Amino acid sequence: NVTVIDTGIGIREVDLAMIFDEFAQVDYMPTQIKQQGTGLGLAICKNIVELQDGKITVESELGRGSIFGFSIPYEIGDEIILEIQDCKQLDLKNLIGKRILWVDDNLLNTLLAKTVIAKYKIITDVAHDGHAAFKLFRQNQYDLVLTDIQMPIMTGVDLAKAIRLHEDALKRNIPILGVTADLLAEDCEVYSNAGMNGLVLKPFSEKGLMEKIIAQLSQ
């Protein structure tokens, strides 16, 4: 069961019945507030929850805020067994002390990735744009670079190209993984031509991320 409470402007009772409809936009003209977006967000949430046999609800009072909640009937698993199943096929040797450069302008993504990677005693440096990342790359010796594709100042594609042009042969041949949600054939070709060795698909799982890292560090 998950509940999200806000103290926003609230929703009129007359609008609650349609708030989860596709393209629904609540009329707030009396409050002089113009709503943004397509009106698809809550409809998508409803579909995701109901696909898992769950139920999503909303309670709201105009001027006081709203309470959105959903419940999904997941079965409770054995955490110890799940942890063993997650890691048993990963070859974790030789990871201790490896140094990775993680590049992402999303602070939540970098925090998540750094927390996951730290469990395997891998050293992680973080940069929030390609320019800052390339500066760290020139200053330090890394075993692997993981970079988001869409970033301000310098994109992941431009960062990969810059690394591949570095004067130091050892540094310019470092493995590079792109982190992206775009896996169209034409996009993958662009990433490959920029010098990336592979891709990590977002959103990633711990096991999926570590498999990609191990594959590169084991070569």
Side-chain angles (χ1 to χ4, degrees):
N1 299 291
V2 177
T3 302
V4 180
I5 303 173
D6 72 58
T7 55
I9 57 179
I11 304 167
R12 297 179 304 182
E13 185 175 357
V14 67
D15 293 321
L16 289 178
M18 48 79 73
I19 197 69
F20 293 107
D21 293 345
E22 292 183 359
F23 306 110
Q25 290 283 10
V26 175
D27 182 11
Y28 287 115
M29 289 304 292
T31 62
Q32 302 296 309
I33 296 176
K34 183 179 181 181
Q35 297 302 299
Q36 302 293 324
T38 61
L40 282 173
L42 287 174
I44 292 171
C45 290
K46 182 174 184 287
N47 286 335
I48 291 173
V49 169
E50 292 182 347
L51 281 171
Q52 300 174 85
D53 297 320
K55 182 179 180 180
I56 190 167
T57 61
V58 58
E59 301 175 27
S60 188
E61 183 179 345
L62 201 61
R64 296 290 298 275
S66 306
I67 303 175
F68 285 87
F70 67 86
S71 59
I72 298 177
Y74 286 138
E75 294 183 7
I76 299 176
D78 188 322
E79 293 183 4
I80 297 177
I81 292 176
L82 290 175
E83 184 176 351
I84 293 173
Q85 290 176 340
D86 240 8
C87 299
K88 66 179 182 180
Q89 295 182 356
L90 297 183
D91 184 3
L92 302 177
K93 65 177 182 294
N94 301 324
L95 289 184
I96 297 176
K98 295 292 186 180
R99 192 171 187 182
I100 288 176
L101 176 58
W102 184 279
V103 194
D104 196 320
D105 62 319
N106 186 300
L107 297 179
L108 185 58
N109 287 346
T110 56
L111 176 61
L112 173 61
K114 193 169 183 178
T115 301
V116 168
I117 294 171
K119 292 170 55 178
Y120 302 91
K121 299 182 180 179
I122 299 173
I123 302 166
T124 308
D125 290 346
V126 171
H128 298 297
D129 63 70
H131 180 74
F134 192 60
K135 184 177 180 179
L136 285 173
F137 173 78
R138 290 198 303 261
Q139 294 173 347
N140 304 300
Q141 190 66 49
Y142 294 102
D143 298 291
L144 176 67
V145 174
L146 292 103
T147 178
D148 190 29
I149 301 298
Q150 301 297 332
M151 295 184 296
I153 305 177
M154 186 181 192
T155 68
V157 170
D158 291 334
L159 173 61
K161 290 178 179 179
I163 289 174
R164 294 302 182 225
L165 292 174
H166 196 275
E167 60 273 12
D168 186 323
L170 181 63
K171 292 176 74 71
R172 70 170 173 261
N173 288 315
I174 186 175
I176 304 173
L177 290 175
V179 184
T180 181
D182 299 322
L183 285 182
L184 297 176
E186 54 267 34
D187 293 325
C188 293
E189 186 176 357
V190 170
Y191 307 151
S192 178
N193 291 339
M196 294 184 183
N197 300 84
L199 296 171
V200 176
L201 180 62
K202 293 192 295 187
F204 53 81
S205 66
E206 176 178 344
K207 185 172 183 290
L209 174 63
M210 293 310 300
E211 283 177 342
K212 294 286 187 177
I213 291 175
I214 290 168
Q216 295 300 323
L217 296 181
S218 300
Q219 294 179 8

